Every structure is written in structure tokens, then in C-alpha cells.
Amino acid sequence: MFDPTVFDNLKVAVENYVYDLDNLDGRVVVTHRVDRLEMAVMARVFALQFTLAQGSGITAEIRLEASLKELAAEILDQQGAAPGCALRLRFFMAVEDVGRTCAFVEERLTDIWQPEMPPTQTISYMYGEADPGYQNEVEVHFNRKINEEQMEDLPGLIEHMLKSLDALEAHAAGGE
């Protein structure tokens, strides 16, 4: 009989909550899904990307990652092991005024996610385009693994992601 890992249980919980927000509540639209076994390093990766249903296309991503070490420790029931997953939350948005927008994103997301978890922002553009525009990849960092003990925190975490999307959408629309 298959015994699901911490990764599998967290993945199902995230999927259920986000797909309910899409299919039942109509608050978001799931735009991309990744469920991958990375054979080169024998790691698992799961990610869901979504936008607000009435949004302009700013995308949020919730991503779970489990390394071979984590998976093996759990499957082999290694003594003293504390299996868990890395959690990454990212937001992707187009940016025109880099200075103004990045300052807003840092301030607003730090308010939403707490000062000890300041976001990092990576700005990029397509070289050679006549009017390239900029893309901002914003990541909120968690400095610890999560496991089934945080399962009940997932709805609140995803609601914080929706609050972040609302703030980013308001700024993009010129509202702040």
C-alpha cells in the first residue's frame, strides 16, 4: 500500500484549496501547474500558478520542493529525521516604472508578510526588443521547512497570497 509522503499530503491540500478558489468560488484562475520528479537529483517539485479572476494578469505561484534527502528520510523512517518541504511563494508582474513599483512592492509585501520575511525582487527584460518592458519576479522567503503540522495554515497562507495579488493589482491599475 502506498503511504503518502509529507510532500504528497501538502500538495493535495494546496491543490484542493486553490482549485476550490478557481472552480467553486471563481476568485482565481489557475494558469499553470507543475508536478515534477527531477530525475537528475531525485527531487519532487509541485507548483500552481494563478491570477485573480478579475485581474490584469499578475501571477502568483505557490511551490513545494522536497529533496532526495527529505524524501528518503521519511520513506526509510530514519531516526531523528524531521521530513518537510521547502515552500516558495512568487509573484510575476510587468513593470514600467522600476523604482516606484519595486519600492511599493517591497513596502506593501513586507507589511503583508511581516518584516522578517522581506521579499526579493528580480527585474528582467528581453534584450533586443524595441520596447522591452520589465518583468518583476518577487519572492517571499520562508527560512524553514513546512510539514503536515502547518497544514491548517495553508488556507491563511493562500489568503495572504490573494491579499498580495490585490495590492499588486491595485498598484498596477494606478490605485495604490
Side-chain angles (χ1 to χ4, degrees):
M1 171 113 191
F2 172 72
D3 187 21
T5 62
V6 169
F7 177 89
D8 293 310
N9 290 331
L10 290 171
K11 178 186 97 162
V12 168
V14 167
E15 277 180 312
N16 287 341
Y17 195 80
V18 174
Y19 277 114
D20 283 352
L21 289 171
D22 183 345
N23 297 320
L24 301 178
D25 300 343
R27 292 175 63 191
V28 304
V29 174
V30 174
T31 58
H32 190 64
R33 181 179 186 279
V34 172
D35 192 352
R36 181 178 304 139
L37 172 61
E38 293 290 344
M39 298 295 286
V41 293
M42 296 304 291
R44 295 276 313 267
V45 176
F46 171 75
L48 272 181
Q49 290 183 351
F50 55 93
T51 62
L52 293 176
Q54 304 302 316
S56 67
I58 296 173
T59 302
E61 178 183 81
I62 184 166
R63 182 179 191 93
L64 297 171
E65 300 172 348
S67 68
L68 173 61
K69 181 180 176 182
E70 297 296 328
L71 294 167
E74 181 176 6
I75 292 168
L76 298 174
D77 200 18
Q78 292 179 343
Q79 204 70 358
C85 299
L87 175 68
R88 297 177 70 190
L89 305 179
R90 299 189 298 180
F91 301 90
F92 304 91
M93 62 187 295
V95 176
E96 290 179 20
D97 184 343
V98 172
R100 185 174 147 267
T101 299
C102 289
F104 171 83
V105 168
E106 182 173 6
E107 180 182 326
R108 189 65 184 111
L109 292 189
T110 299
D111 287 345
I112 293 170
W113 292 98
Q114 304 173 11
E116 58 271 8
M117 296 189 310
T120 58
Q121 300 180 66
T122 304
I123 302 295
S124 62
Y125 66 94
M126 183 68 71
Y127 176 76
E129 293 287 317
D131 184 19
Y134 295 96
Q135 291 295 317
N136 191 359
E137 178 182 322
V138 183
E139 184 167 348
V140 176
H141 297 274
F142 291 87
N143 297 326
R144 63 180 176 84
K145 296 181 293 186
I146 66 166
N147 57 39
E148 285 130 326
E149 292 177 12
Q150 288 79 40
M151 189 88 69
E152 63 190 31
D153 297 336
L154 289 175
L157 179 104
I158 294 167
E159 288 299 325
H160 268 65
M161 293 181 76
L162 296 176
K163 187 175 182 179
S164 299
L165 278 174
D166 283 333
L168 297 174
E169 288 284 358
H171 179 77
E176 290 184 52

